[in-house]
Amino acid sequence: MEQRISLVTLGVADLARAKSFYAALGWRGTEVEETVFHQAGGLALVLWDRRKLAADCGLADAAPAGFGGIALAHNVRSDAEVDAVLAAAAAAGGTVTRPAAVHPIGFYSGVFTDPDGHAWEIAHNPGFTLTEDGALVLPDFGEAGRAAGGA
């Protein structure tokens, strides 16, 4: 398996509400057969009815049961941009669950959840380079990274 993620699909309770929330954050999507696709750099973010997504994955229970164990991250180019994205998410109907502050390991970040409870960390980490087109470039983690299976 190649090391790549092609699509991230978020199961939502109300597709129109989710589409409106992400549009208020500036995301532009295309709705196709009750599914909304957003081009997000080299991958796609997809919004789809939670029950239909669960059934498609062969899972019987689509009911949200608190934190699902996944957090999405959006890196930005400045601390001020972290604050602006968190404010925009709150204004659009999201919930800021961790206000922006300096993270214990030294970068500035905060977290919001969308109306369906999907967690998004918004971070400015100068050690993680963002290219002009927004692609993230990981730093060389040295020996620690190699010990964890990195290159």
Side-chain angles (χ1 to χ4, degrees):
M1 177 176 181
E2 293 180 35
Q3 188 166 307
R4 173 184 61 248
I5 296 174
S6 304
L7 294 102
V8 172
T9 303
L10 302 179
V12 301
D14 181 330
L15 186 62
R17 178 187 69 184
K19 182 178 177 181
S20 177
F21 174 79
Y22 284 96
L25 293 180
W27 290 67
R28 298 296 166 244
T30 301
E31 188 168 344
V32 179
E33 297 183 19
E34 300 177 3
T35 306
V36 180
F37 292 85
H38 301 87
Q39 188 67 55
L43 63 85
L45 178 73
V46 182
L47 306 174
W48 195 15
D49 179 272
R50 183 186 302 270
R51 291 177 310 273
K52 292 177 183 177
L53 177 59
D56 188 61
C57 292
L59 302 171
D61 185 9
F67 180 61
I70 295 175
L72 303 168
H74 178 77
N75 281 42
V76 296
R77 291 177 174 82
S78 70
D79 291 359
E81 196 174 350
V82 170
D83 296 333
V85 172
L86 291 173
T95 301
V96 175
T97 58
R98 182 168 53 83
V102 176
H103 193 275
I105 61 172
F107 62 90
Y108 189 72
S109 70
V111 177
F112 74 84
T113 56
D114 72 7
D116 288 282
H118 301 292
W120 284 84
E121 180 181 36
I122 309 302
H124 172 234
N125 184 340
F128 284 19
T129 302
L130 288 179
T131 64
E132 190 173 315
D133 70 354
L136 180 91
V137 179
L138 291 173
D140 178 357
F141 291 110
E143 289 301 317
R146 283 185 277 288

